[in-house]
Amino acid sequence: MRKGVRTANQVRQVGRGGRGRALRRGTALLMVLLAAAAGRAAAQVDTIPGAVRHLGVVYESYVPTLAISPFTGRFGGLTVAPRVEAVIARDLRYSDRFEMMDSIPLAPGGGAVDYGLWDQFGADWLVTGQVEGLGNRFVLVLELHDVVFSEVKERARFSLPRPDAEDFRMAIHAISDDVVRWITGEPGMAASRICFSMESAAGSQELYVVDSDGENLRRLSNFNSLTMSCSWSPDGSRLAFLSFASGDPAIHEMEIATRQTRVLDFNRAGQPMTPVYHPNGEEIIFSLADGAESGLFSWRVREDCCLWRLTAGRWNDLSPSFSPDGRRLAFNSNRLGVAIPQIYVMPAESGGRPDLVSPYLYGQGGYYTSPDWAPSGDRVAFHGRYRRGSYHILIADVAAQGQRLLQLTYEGNNEDPSWAPDGRHLVFVGERDWGFGLFVVDTVSGRIRPVLSGVRPRVPDWSPSLASTEAPTREN
Amino acid sequence: MLHRGLIISVVAAGLFVASCGQEELPPPPPPPVEEGPNQDSIDAARRAAEEAARRAAEEEARRAAALEAAREALTAMVFFDFDMAEIRSDAEGVLQRKVDVLRASPAVQLRIEGHADERGSSEYNLALGSRRAEAVRQFFVNAGLPESRFDVRSYGEEQPREMGSNEQSWAQNRRDEFVITAGGNQIQVPGGGQ
């Protein structure tokens, strides 16, 4: 049972107790999580219609234990080593893929790895690191040890940016994602950012960006006008967004590195909203409210031309989100009634009939908006409420057309989910009794952590992995 | 607010009329004086001139008040029910007064700005605000006014008037605002300003 509660202390206790690996991988975790989920579900009435599972947690069969030995330093590297270790340790904890054993007092560091000792501690994996000074820069030598097989699984040298450089932390995040890939074969999400809008000190709503771990909050725009609904280009270099910066509401595109911004001029009346990039990076799809009609349109960004209508009707279609292969679109529409917006998916080439994926029941109301298609391709996240309940984050199985849903939040109000590049985490805006913030939920364990609080963020969008552009040079 | 403004100006105009009526009662006969008839006619002429100037000033004030009332009618907000974009019955009178002023003032152009309360999603509320603005433009078009005189936009839930998280604040935030974008100096009072 103790394994279900993942505080570092208890993990350490379990580790020191030298309990068998089989026990640690046992079903206790499942029991605890399911019991917790069932308890919360039972207490929750009138949230989501009965066809939906009130299950916020999925059992993951095996959560390996990962230990981090205190990083060592050579040639002046010790001044930087603790910072590097701290970022990597937090990234690996936030990946939610491991039971973490880090910050261990008196843990053996340096010298040859005593696999027997780490095995007694209960570690499946061990990360060791050494930071070497090299002139005025530093190199991290990182090793991943497979404790079970008593061998070095991966070894790499990373050249780090200068510690006072703006990209220092992001470079270490990229290394953390390498460790995740070494162990799981899956992408991480540490080397990524989240864009969103919020009110600036001057009182206008501007664009901001923050690292995936809540550090490094920066303002990107200074338009002195309402600016929102940012969306990352697939290569992570540009943002599309709605702004009133030029007076009239218009879709803008910003080159992030230079902050250079241009207005997309569709030469057409109506208010454009909710832009999003096609996975090919060459088109932007957005909603245009145009007279009594509204619809989804596409625009070729590179050629700066060719308005193309995808949907039309005397209702609102908005907040489009592409499937990863670009062949289907999820979007929000109030075609069933202005007070009952629902989530639909349809072929991206217009003409196909949209299918409902939110849990609409005739005459039962329900309000579901802000879809975001998962990188895995089979699920769409969105938020909504049933009748007059609270707003919660939900995930729908696309193939099941609203009949299979996971509810991920049970507290406060929760809006605007956006998938992390690891396809496993979602960021959303949460409202709690203490205020608003950006939260991240692990869709596998159900764990929720605030990444930015004390501010009122709006409509976050999680970037693709920035590891390829921000990664430190790997030297071997 | 608009109602009160209108009522005040109507009452003020009424008082004007009433007081004008009193002033037009025949003045009391001048007391017999010993001075020459020339002085009498000078006084009479002066009084007449003063009276004319006063009437002109009153007329000017009345026209200014009527103009101000017309301007207020143009910019008066209308409010909506939760999650709805239908024109409420209490908004129809407000909109009809706008139609009257717009008919009398063909140079005037309006921007209709839709807003939503904070509940629901930011992006859906943009769409909701846009529907609310569009509903009013449709009201104007149905009243025979050309669509080209109106520009619509939505600020969604992003620019609330009231910051509270309660029904009283929300009711104030579910609204259309109106901005005169052209012809602001050519507003004509409906009914020819008589």
Side-chain angles (χ1 to χ4, degrees):
Chain A
M1 291 297 281
R2 268 177 290 172
K3 292 302 286 183
V5 186
R6 299 181 187 182
T7 69
N9 273 333
Q10 286 176 340
V11 169
R12 249 177 272 140
Q13 281 172 13
V14 171
R16 292 220 173 99
R19 302 175 61 162
R21 191 161 281 118
L23 257 184
R24 284 190 277 110
R25 295 171 188 171
T27 54
L29 176 63
L30 168 68
M31 310 288 286
V32 169
L33 293 181
L34 283 183
R40 279 180 294 184
Q44 195 78 22
V45 289
D46 207 27
T47 44
I48 301 298
V52 172
R53 283 192 297 163
H54 290 272
L55 184 59
V57 179
V58 178
Y59 174 52
E60 190 180 36
S61 59
Y62 169 51
V63 180
T65 299
L66 188 150
I68 295 182
S69 178
F71 283 17
T72 58
R74 283 206 306 167
F75 313 128
L78 200 53
T79 56
V80 181
R83 277 179 67 192
V84 176
E85 180 195 332
V87 173
I88 290 179
R90 186 158 75 168
D91 286 347
L92 295 177
R93 182 181 305 281
Y94 283 11
S95 80
D96 291 305
R97 296 172 188 271
F98 313 107
E99 293 199 18
M100 292 297 294
M101 293 172 62
D102 59 339
S103 309
I104 309 163
L106 303 178
V113 171
D114 182 344
Y115 289 111
L117 188 61
W118 286 107
D119 189 46
Q120 270 193 359
F121 280 8
D124 299 301
W125 299 96
L126 171 69
V127 172
T128 61
Q130 178 163 269
V131 180
E132 299 172 356
L134 212 71
N136 62 354
R137 63 189 192 93
F138 295 94
V139 168
L140 170 66
V141 181
L142 197 72
E143 286 184 340
L144 174 68
H145 305 267
D146 185 331
V147 176
V148 179
F149 290 92
S150 303
E151 64 182 22
V152 175
K153 170 93 171 174
E154 294 280 350
R155 184 172 195 278
R157 289 170 58 87
F158 298 98
S159 178
L160 301 179
R162 288 194 4 215
D164 58 351
E166 200 180 303
D167 57 348
F168 180 71
R169 297 185 83 263
M170 191 54 75
I172 300 171
H173 289 321
I175 296 170
S176 304
D177 287 342
D178 276 352
V179 175
V180 169
R181 194 176 295 101
W182 288 343
I183 297 177
T184 66
E186 289 173 30
M189 55 108 179
S192 61
R193 295 193 169 97
I194 297 161
C195 74
F196 57 97
S197 63
M198 69 174 176
E199 201 167 284
S200 70
S204 59
Q205 204 176 121
E206 305 282 354
L207 290 187
Y208 287 78
V209 72
V210 69
D211 291 356
S212 67
D213 59 354
E215 301 283 339
N216 211 6
L217 174 66
R218 284 176 295 162
R219 184 158 53 91
L220 287 183
S221 71
N222 193 13
F223 297 141
N224 273 315
S225 57
L226 176 58
T227 300
M228 61 185 285
S229 295
C230 56
S231 172
W232 292 87
S233 67
D235 65 359
S237 70
R238 289 167 293 156
L239 292 174
F241 52 90
L242 164 70
S243 180
F244 290 67
S246 57
D248 295 324
I251 305 298
H252 293 58
E253 194 183 33
M254 177 189 286
E255 184 82 40
I256 297 169
T258 61
R259 309 278 163 89
Q260 204 162 27
T261 301
R262 69 185 183 114
V263 176
L264 305 188
D265 182 6
F266 310 128
N267 193 22
R268 175 160 188 146
Q271 175 161 346
M273 300 179 282
T274 66
V276 68
Y277 284 90
H278 189 283
N280 65 20
E282 294 179 0
E283 293 165 54
I284 283 177
I285 312 294
F286 59 96
S287 173
L288 189 68
D290 169 24
E293 275 196 342
S294 142
L296 295 175
F297 289 77
S298 74
W299 178 258
R300 301 194 62 80
V301 184
R302 192 171 298 171
E303 295 93 330
D304 212 15
C305 84
C306 313
L307 200 61
W308 178 261
R309 179 164 226 153
L310 297 173
T311 68
R314 298 182 62 81
W315 51 70
N316 295 107
D317 293 337
L318 70 157
S319 305
S321 174
F322 276 98
S323 62
D325 62 9
R327 296 173 64 179
R328 286 183 293 171
L329 263 179
F331 62 100
N332 178 217
S333 177
N334 54 13
R335 53 188 64 199
L336 290 174
V338 65
I340 46 172
Q342 302 286 325
I343 309 298
Y344 299 81
V345 302
M346 67 167 195
E349 304 298 323
S350 64
R353 189 179 63 88
D355 288 326
L356 257 175
V357 295
S358 50
Y360 176 71
L361 295 177
Y362 180 77
Q364 297 285 302
Y367 179 113
Y368 304 98
T369 67
S370 309
D372 194 45
W373 207 305
S376 60
D378 57 346
R379 300 187 296 173
V380 172
F382 53 93
H383 81 260
R385 68 146 196 259
Y386 178 56
R387 291 185 174 152
R388 294 277 171 122
S390 304
Y391 296 88
H392 288 295
I393 305 297
L394 304 161
I395 303 177
D397 188 330
V398 172
Q401 300 189 359
Q403 294 305 299
R404 221 157 57 232
L405 251 77
L406 293 181
Q407 183 174 339
L408 289 166
T409 56
Y410 291 90
E411 191 191 348
N413 283 298
N414 307 275
E415 291 188 14
D416 290 319
S418 175
W419 288 96
D422 66 358
R424 168 170 176 146
H425 292 86
L426 285 165
V427 66
F428 60 92
V429 177
E431 180 188 11
R432 301 291 179 263
D433 41 18
W434 46 261
F436 288 89
L438 281 183
F439 293 79
V440 169
V441 59
D442 172 23
T443 60
V444 176
S445 69
R447 179 183 299 154
I448 295 174
R449 64 171 62 92
V451 290
L452 197 65
S453 44
V455 298
R456 173 59 167 107
R458 291 172 187 276
V459 204
D461 191 43
W462 207 320
S463 77
S465 173
L466 305 174
S468 55
T469 52
E470 306 258 6
T473 323
R474 194 172 160 181
E475 294 192 335
N476 60 338
Chain B
M1 194 162 40
L2 165 78
H3 289 278
R4 201 187 299 146
L6 266 184
I7 289 164
I8 287 171
S9 50
V10 166
V11 169
L15 285 176
F16 258 140
V17 171
S19 60
C20 286
Q22 280 171 356
E23 292 297 326
E24 271 170 318
L25 288 174
V33 284
E34 301 307 315
E35 294 175 33
N38 274 355
Q39 190 57 44
D40 270 357
S41 60
I42 290 169
D43 284 350
R46 197 188 66 221
R47 278 198 298 271
E50 283 171 358
E51 179 68 14
R54 197 180 53 77
R55 284 181 181 232
E58 280 174 2
E59 174 68 10
E60 182 53 35
R62 201 190 61 79
R63 290 173 67 93
L67 201 60
E68 189 50 37
R71 182 182 294 274
E72 278 178 20
L74 283 177
T75 56
M77 286 180 269
V78 293
F79 298 92
F80 294 84
D81 285 333
F82 176 58
D83 260 356
M84 302 305 278
E86 261 87 63
I87 306 287
R88 274 182 358 200
S89 55
D90 66 345
E92 283 175 13
V94 179
L95 294 176
Q96 190 52 53
R97 279 190 286 281
K98 293 181 197 291
V99 168
D100 295 342
V101 177
L102 288 164
R103 281 207 185 110
S105 320
V108 169
Q109 298 195 6
L110 274 189
R111 186 165 74 220
I112 311 165
E113 301 179 342
H115 296 263
D117 71 34
E118 64 179 357
R119 291 170 296 168
S121 77
S122 299
E123 292 188 337
Y124 186 73
N125 280 337
L126 268 183
L128 184 57
S130 133
R131 291 186 81 79
R132 285 174 176 164
E134 192 53 54
V136 165
R137 170 154 73 176
Q138 208 51 51
F139 184 98
F140 291 154
V141 169
N142 292 345
L145 296 166
E147 192 173 327
S148 57
R149 293 178 65 185
F150 309 101
D151 177 27
V152 296
R153 62 172 56 177
S154 168
Y155 289 100
E157 67 180 75
E158 315 302 331
Q159 295 187 351
R161 292 179 69 218
E162 304 283 339
M163 296 308 293
S165 287
N166 50 58
E167 180 49 38
Q168 205 177 350
S169 297
W170 293 330
Q172 290 293 306
N173 292 336
R174 298 188 296 262
R175 69 201 192 276
D176 277 355
E177 293 194 10
F178 299 84
V179 177
I180 300 165
T181 53
N185 54 0
Q186 297 171 65
I187 296 173
Q188 299 292 319
V189 176
Q194 298 302 309

